[in-house]
Amino acid sequence: MLKFRTHIKDKNKQWITFIHGFGGSSKIWYKQIRELGSHYNLLLIDLRGHGRSKNIYLSSDFNLITACEDVIRVLDSLKIKKSHFIGVSFGSLLILKLFESHKKYIAKSILAGAITSFNHLTRILLLFLNFLKHILPNNILYKIFAHIIMPKSNHKESRLMFIKEAKQLDRKVFNQWFMLIPNLKRFIVDLDPSCFNNPILFISGKDDYLFSEEVKLFTLKNKCFSYCSIEGAGHVVNVDKPLMFNERVVEYLN
């Protein structure tokens, strides 16, 4: 089973389950723990091959469905029947996938640095990374990726944090997760915003030039969706602007 941490405020309080992005770990939420932990019980999960789950390897048939089942297995072990979910980047996609088969576990969701489409620039970036992963060592590859997706000076903390966490990712694990990209593309292409009837708040950094505009357009297609853009933040908005991010989350969940 995946490794996880809990912060329990009160057994009668609602839960928030946190899902990190590709190459990260549950440490990405360290600026949320104090504030959100004063209102809710927190469950912070490390996905396979990441963080404290780095020794849990991916099977040859690993896919988005099994990734979702990993998360639900943790909730079941803790007897959590319903939880709010917060995800960042790939974690936001995993939450959207959870709606397909495990909707009963989901109360409200907050998707930070969400990905709802792969535009032309994103496709070029993925092709570029796919080529370089056969040539460059891990640490150089992650630095290039981090500087492309989080390029500005005000993204420095989230960029350095990503690089530090990604360096701990085994190369084999990186390749296996990267092989999910075609699966992700198909899932994103088939995403129909009208099919969701649960409340979802999308929070994007205004500097998230790869994804934020498409996310905004996506949210306009469903009355259950809300959208918030935070000035001065990039893709990892919860690290770049934690105070504003935490405020929006508490306002939305209350």
Side-chain angles (χ1 to χ4, degrees):
M1 190 168 68
L2 299 179
K3 301 296 182 181
F4 61 88
R5 293 180 292 142
T6 59
H7 293 262
I8 300 176
K9 171 71 175 175
D10 183 322
K11 65 179 182 179
N12 296 315
K13 290 284 187 181
Q14 293 179 312
W15 283 87
I16 299 177
T17 300
F18 293 84
I19 311 293
H20 64 78
F22 170 67
S25 77
S26 58
K27 291 180 181 178
I28 200 76
W29 306 109
Y30 76 103
K31 291 189 176 184
Q32 280 64 61
I33 292 173
R34 177 176 292 183
E35 173 61 24
L36 301 186
S38 66
H39 301 276
Y40 302 93
N41 296 326
L42 310 181
L43 170 60
L44 302 103
I45 294 174
D46 286 317
L47 300 175
R48 288 198 199 196
H50 295 73
R52 297 196 305 147
S53 296
K54 64 182 179 181
N55 293 325
I56 302 176
Y57 291 100
L58 287 68
S59 57
S60 58
D61 59 348
F62 184 77
N63 54 42
L64 285 177
I65 295 172
T66 48
C68 288
E69 289 170 349
D70 282 347
V71 171
I72 296 303
R73 197 171 293 118
V74 175
L75 270 71
D76 286 343
S77 73
L78 295 169
K79 296 181 171 54
I80 299 174
K81 295 182 178 180
K82 207 171 193 69
S83 172
H84 300 302
F85 280 79
I86 300 180
V88 65
S89 193
F90 170 79
S92 68
L93 279 174
L94 204 54
I95 292 170
L96 290 173
K97 185 68 177 178
L98 280 167
F99 277 99
E100 289 187 359
S101 55
H102 299 94
K103 182 180 173 181
K104 67 178 182 179
Y105 288 88
I106 305 172
K108 291 183 177 180
S109 300
I110 293 96
L111 308 185
I115 302 169
T116 56
S117 70
F118 283 153
N119 59 26
H120 187 62
L121 183 57
T122 311
R123 289 188 174 92
I124 292 173
L125 172 60
L126 291 173
L127 287 172
F128 178 63
L129 289 174
N130 190 48
F131 173 74
L132 289 180
K133 74 183 177 73
H134 299 293
I135 302 170
L136 298 177
N138 286 20
N139 59 329
I140 302 298
L141 187 65
Y142 300 147
K143 284 180 181 179
I144 292 173
F145 179 76
H147 279 277
I148 291 173
I149 203 168
M150 297 168 273
K152 295 191 175 183
S153 59
N154 55 311
H155 307 160
K156 183 177 180 180
E157 185 177 0
S158 53
R159 184 168 62 241
L160 291 176
M161 187 174 185
F162 170 81
I163 293 169
K164 181 181 178 181
E165 291 298 310
K167 281 181 179 179
Q168 300 178 43
L169 202 65
D170 183 88
R171 187 59 177 248
K172 181 181 177 181
V173 171
F174 170 83
N175 289 337
Q176 286 180 293
W177 277 99
F178 202 86
M179 285 172 63
L180 290 183
I181 295 296
N183 190 211
L184 284 173
K185 285 181 179 177
R186 287 191 295 272
F187 174 63
I188 290 173
V189 167
D190 292 337
L191 267 180
D192 182 356
S194 65
C195 291
F196 296 86
N197 54 15
N198 282 50
I200 303 176
L201 171 63
F202 293 80
I203 304 180
S204 294
K206 198 165 185 179
D207 297 340
D208 190 0
Y209 70 100
L210 284 174
F211 305 111
S212 61
E213 285 303 315
E214 285 77 10
V215 170
K216 184 177 182 179
L217 293 173
F218 184 83
T219 60
L220 294 174
K221 298 174 183 177
N222 190 318
K223 292 181 179 179
C224 293
F225 295 166
S226 303
Y227 179 76
C228 173
S229 178
I230 295 182
E231 189 81 34
H235 187 59
V236 190
V237 58
N238 62 295
V239 173
D240 292 338
K241 291 291 181 179
L243 294 179
M244 292 184 68
F245 180 85
N246 295 342
E247 285 176 8
R248 298 293 179 273
V249 168
V250 173
E251 286 172 6
Y252 188 70
L253 296 183
N254 283 346

